[in-house]
């Protein structure tokens, strides 16, 4: 049985047993204990094993990607193409989300009492989120922060939002390696090759746990997400999921047919392992090793293109996150009866696209950015509490689109470069 099939079986088992547990053991201490210990342990074991190698993997894969491209101009061209595609696809994604949220107006479907109850339940969580978000830096410092004063520190903090800084460092190392005496460059390149191979092997170990871990993660999700909560936010959840599905299946199919060598059906079949991993981990960074492997082995995208486009994309191309941010801000504006001017709506679009770039590819990475956008357009920031209870579910869905978007861009760039096999 192949891994994707085993993961799907894990998903179905986790979901079914989660529902059964809710039905038969709702509120029992035994269920809470099982969930907080066994299911939590299995899920976290898997996630931590993957996160453990994200830093060495991102660094080595980018260094090697640049060295293998061998030519800074080629890197510039690929970078430019990826950037243009990212901009275009993110704008379409946010457009779909905002169009749907304006059409359906889910914020007006939730009763004021339900809204206040949801918000009240989440006050401690919202406080934490808001504090973190408001500690954010000024834009100029954020840009300067991309150049790490100390690359080791950037590596240490990579999963807390300094991944972009680590990437800038790795890119510069890669570029410098192509320009120094090859004799001097060789040991470092070989080291990067070794680090990459070892990281991939550790990911293989982790992935062998994936089916069981995914079952545990879904079990917890089902047990923890209140059915009433889901029902009261059904309009909002439906708009996000429908928007993501339209971008995934319609928009991506159109661009793939238009500009790549892959038929959409083949593309989705070949990449399903990465999409399932994204869904289960809710993290583009954690999915990166699988994304890299699938791109090379199943799609035949040359490694030098894949490692550059996908590694940068895992951090900076997040169509799902962009859509989710736009929908959430407008939903909360509707919910709290804040009328946004046309200018403010444009600001939401623009900031959502940027948020897709600036969000760390980790679970819940987009929440702090939503708080900032809410504040900018004058929607109460504590409103975020209303949606925190369904965030994990939506995170799994948007991360799937984020990762699919990275693979689509890699496919488009490889086709543009005429190098796909
Ligand atoms: N979890 C998302 C990712 O890793 C980021 C987010 O939208 O929270 O791609």
């Amino acid at each position: 049985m192949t891994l994707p099939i085993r993961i799907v079986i894990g998903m179905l088992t986790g979901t079914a047993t989660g529902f059964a547990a809710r039905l038969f053991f709702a509120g029992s201490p035994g269920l809470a204990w099982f969930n907080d210990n066994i299911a939590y342990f299995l899920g976290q074991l898997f996630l931590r094993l993957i996160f453990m190698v994200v830093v060495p993997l991102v660094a080595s894969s980018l260094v090697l990607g640049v060295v293998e491209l061998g030519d800074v101009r080629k890197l510039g061209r690929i970078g430019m193409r990826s950037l243009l595609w990212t901009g275009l696809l993110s704008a379409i994604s946010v457009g779909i989300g905002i169009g749907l949220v304006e059409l359906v107006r889910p914020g007006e479907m939730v009763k004021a009492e339900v809204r206040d109850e949801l918000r009240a339940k989440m006050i401690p969580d919202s406080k934490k989120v808001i504090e973190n978000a408001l500690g954010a830096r000024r834009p100029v410092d954020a840009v300067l922060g991309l150049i790490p004063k100390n690359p080791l520190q950037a590596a240490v903090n990579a999963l807390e939002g300094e991944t972009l800084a680590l990437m800038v460092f790795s890119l510069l190392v890669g570029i410098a390696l192509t320009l120094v005496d090859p004799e001097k460059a060789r040991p470092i390149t070989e080291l990067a090759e070794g680090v990459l191979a070892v990281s991939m092997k550790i990911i293989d170990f982790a992935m062998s746990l994936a089916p069981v871990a995914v079952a545990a993660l879904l079990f917890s999700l089902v047990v923890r997400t209140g059915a009433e909560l889901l029902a009261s936010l059904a309009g909002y959840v439906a708009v996000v999921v429908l928007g993501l599905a339209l971008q995934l299946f319609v928009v991506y199919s159109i661009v793939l047919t238009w500009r790549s060598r892959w038929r959409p059906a083949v593309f989705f079949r070949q990449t399903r392992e990465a999409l399932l991993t994204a869904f289960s981990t809710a993290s583009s960074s954690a999915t990166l090793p699988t994304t890299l492997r699938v791109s090379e082995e199943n799609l035949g995208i040359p490694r030098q293109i894949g490692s550059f486009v996908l590694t940068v994309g895992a951090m900076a191309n997040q169509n799902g996150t962009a859509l989710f941010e736009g929908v959430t801000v407008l939903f909360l504006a509707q919910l709290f009866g804040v009328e946004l001017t046309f200018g403010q709506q444009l600001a939401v679009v623009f900031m959502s696209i940027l948020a897709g770039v600036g969000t760390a590819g980790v679970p819940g990475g987009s929440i702090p950015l939503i708080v900032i956008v809410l504040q900018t357009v004058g929607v109460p920031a504590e409103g975020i509490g209303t949606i925190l209870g369904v965030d994990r579910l939506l995170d799994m869905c948007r991360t799937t689109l984020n990762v699919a978007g990275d693979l689509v861009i890699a496919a488009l760039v490889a086709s543009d470069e005429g190098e796909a096999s």
Side-chain angles (χ1 to χ4, degrees):
M1 224 191 280
T2 61
L3 186 60
I5 295 183
R6 281 188 290 139
I7 295 181
V8 171
I9 294 178
M11 277 177 175
L12 296 176
T13 315
T15 313
T17 46
F19 278 114
R22 284 181 71 119
L23 202 63
F24 298 116
F25 304 107
S28 83
L31 176 59
W33 182 88
F34 182 83
N35 197 25
D36 293 347
N37 292 284
I38 309 293
Y40 173 82
F41 176 79
L42 291 173
Q44 289 303 314
L45 183 69
F46 167 66
L47 292 179
R48 291 181 77 109
L49 274 175
I50 296 185
F51 277 120
M52 184 170 78
V53 286
V54 164
V55 168
L57 186 104
V58 165
S60 58
S61 137
L62 264 184
V63 167
L64 281 179
V66 178
V67 169
E68 283 169 9
L69 278 174
D71 173 355
V72 181
R73 263 171 309 162
K74 198 163 172 196
L75 178 69
R77 198 174 62 225
I78 291 180
M80 213 46 213
R81 287 202 164 126
S82 311
L83 188 71
L84 289 177
W85 280 118
T86 300
L88 178 71
L89 292 175
S90 307
I92 297 177
S93 185
V94 176
I96 291 178
I98 289 194
L100 281 176
V101 81
E102 285 298 332
L103 196 75
V104 179
R105 303 199 69 81
E108 289 164 8
M109 295 175 181
V110 183
K111 291 202 204 79
E113 315 88 79
V114 178
R115 173 194 75 190
D116 293 337
E117 193 188 318
L118 289 177
R119 195 165 45 147
K121 255 198 240 156
M122 289 294 181
I123 283 178
D125 289 330
S126 326
K127 272 216 185 106
K128 235 187 291 152
V129 166
I130 295 171
E131 257 166 41
N132 285 345
L134 298 185
R137 294 171 291 186
R138 293 186 303 153
V140 31
D141 291 327
V143 174
L144 281 176
L146 292 181
I147 301 164
K149 266 200 247 167
N150 175 352
L152 292 180
Q153 196 168 15
V156 170
N157 298 331
L159 294 178
E160 276 76 51
E162 291 211 24
T163 335
L164 283 173
L166 176 68
M167 281 169 32
V168 169
F169 174 72
S170 313
L171 278 178
L172 287 177
V173 170
I175 293 174
L177 280 174
T178 62
L179 300 174
V180 297
D181 175 3
E183 273 308 298
K184 301 250 159 58
R186 192 149 38 86
I188 301 189
T189 315
E190 282 173 359
L191 175 69
E193 270 165 5
V195 171
L196 183 65
V198 169
S199 310
M200 290 296 219
K201 194 35 100 199
I202 294 181
I203 294 293
D204 281 348
F205 300 154
M207 288 308 286
S208 62
L209 298 179
V212 176
V214 167
L217 289 164
L218 278 161
F219 176 88
S220 294
L221 182 76
V222 174
V223 168
R224 270 188 293 116
T225 310
E228 317 72 46
L229 173 69
L230 211 53
S232 49
L233 294 177
Y236 161 70
V237 172
V239 164
V240 175
V241 174
L242 179 65
L244 296 173
L246 284 175
Q247 175 83 357
L248 181 64
F249 294 115
V250 180
V251 176
Y252 289 169
S253 296
I254 294 174
V255 284
L256 284 169
T257 312
W258 170 44
R259 291 295 293 252
S260 86
R261 308 171 173 208
W262 288 273
R263 275 187 295 121
V266 174
F267 177 88
F268 287 119
R269 188 159 4 100
Q270 301 293 26
T271 58
R272 64 184 191 265
E273 188 181 333
L275 304 187
L276 289 170
T277 310
F279 184 79
S280 355
T281 59
S283 166
S284 316
S285 319
T287 311
L288 182 61
T290 316
T291 321
L292 286 169
R293 185 158 43 76
V294 157
S295 137
E296 193 179 336
E297 288 175 12
N298 299 4
L299 292 177
I301 293 175
R303 187 167 90 170
Q304 67 270 33
I305 295 185
S307 42
F308 175 70
V309 177
L310 295 170
T311 311
V312 177
M315 314 298 153
N317 171 53
Q318 302 190 333
N319 290 179
T321 296
L323 183 148
F324 168 75
E325 301 243 347
V327 171
T328 303
V329 172
L330 292 194
F331 165 74
L332 292 174
Q334 291 167 2
L335 188 63
F336 289 94
V338 180
E339 279 299 327
L340 299 183
T341 62
F342 182 67
Q344 283 175 318
Q345 296 207 6
L346 267 188
V348 172
V349 172
F350 190 64
M351 290 174 83
S352 303
I353 295 177
L354 286 183
V357 178
T359 295
V362 295
S366 48
I367 300 293
L369 285 148
I370 296 190
V371 171
I372 295 175
V373 184
L374 288 176
Q375 288 241 323
T376 317
V377 296
V379 177
E382 321 77 68
I384 191 78
T386 334
I387 57 123
L388 287 182
V390 288
D391 185 53
R392 182 68 188 201
L393 175 67
L394 295 181
D395 202 356
M396 294 162 83
C397 302
R398 65 185 185 257
T399 307
T400 308
L401 184 67
N402 290 344
V403 168
D406 299 337
L407 284 160
V408 166
I409 295 191
L412 294 170
V413 171
S415 298
D416 285 347
E417 293 283 314
E419 285 190 24
S421 58

